[in-house]
Amino acid sequence: MKNVLAMLLALIFTTSIASAATTNSTAVNLKNAIKQDVTNAKTAIKKDLENADKEAKAKKEAQNKDKKAALKSKRDAQIAPIDNQIKTKKQQIKDVKKSTTMTETEKSIRVRSYERQIEALEAKKTRIDKAYQTGIDAIK
């Protein structure tokens, strides 16, 4: 009976020591596995955030590109009639200079008048362009 009890105690001690040794390495392995899982989760979250940020930037750039195109088309629509008027005035200046029925004084008066009108149209064109360009530049 003493021998069986001694053997049983020896078996329990060896089992507990082996279990403790195994548990210690298992704990270390578990700890390392948890660290690895946390690192992988952090990396995945960072990648997801970066991808979401890239998508948001691309979407915003596309929207801004559309807004800029709309502003440019509005600007061009307002500037086109002014350009036509300038062309008309320049043609009128050529016609006046070629005219043989007018005196030189009359020609110079009309030419100056057309040139002032052209300057006014150019100034108007510049103001419109500047106003729209400010709006376009404000869009990032």
Side-chain angles (χ1 to χ4, degrees):
M1 188 74 157
K2 276 182 162 183
N3 287 339
V4 173
L5 193 57
M7 296 268 279
L8 190 58
L9 281 172
L11 182 63
I12 290 174
F13 283 127
T14 56
T15 306
S16 66
I17 290 171
S19 175
T22 306
T23 305
N24 189 21
S25 66
T26 303
V28 170
N29 289 340
L30 181 62
K31 181 179 176 183
N32 290 339
I34 290 171
K35 282 183 182 179
Q36 185 65 34
D37 288 344
V38 168
T39 304
N40 290 342
K42 284 182 182 179
T43 306
I45 290 170
K46 284 180 184 178
K47 284 183 181 179
D48 288 343
L49 289 175
E50 288 173 0
N51 290 339
D53 190 37
K54 286 179 185 177
E55 289 175 9
K57 283 182 182 179
K59 184 178 179 181
K60 187 175 180 180
E61 286 177 6
Q63 288 174 344
N64 289 345
K65 190 174 182 180
D66 292 341
K67 288 178 184 178
K68 285 180 182 181
L71 283 175
K72 286 179 182 179
S73 66
K74 283 182 182 180
R75 177 191 64 193
D76 293 343
Q78 285 188 352
I79 288 178
I82 295 172
D83 283 338
N84 288 335
Q85 289 175 350
I86 291 171
K87 284 181 185 178
T88 304
K89 297 297 178 193
K90 286 182 179 180
Q91 184 60 42
Q92 288 173 342
I93 289 173
K94 286 180 183 179
D95 293 341
V96 167
K97 286 183 178 179
K98 288 181 183 179
S99 175
T100 56
T101 60
M102 287 188 238
T103 65
E104 285 300 317
T105 308
E106 196 176 359
K107 284 182 184 181
S108 64
I109 291 171
R110 285 196 182 183
V111 167
R112 284 188 201 150
S113 171
Y114 291 141
E115 286 174 348
R116 276 184 260 137
Q117 290 173 8
I118 289 173
E119 288 173 5
L121 290 170
E122 289 287 345
K124 184 177 180 181
K125 180 179 170 182
T126 304
R127 282 192 309 272
I128 291 171
D129 187 48
K130 186 176 179 182
Y132 278 102
Q133 193 61 42
T134 304
I136 290 169
D137 292 341
I139 298 173
K140 292 184 179 180

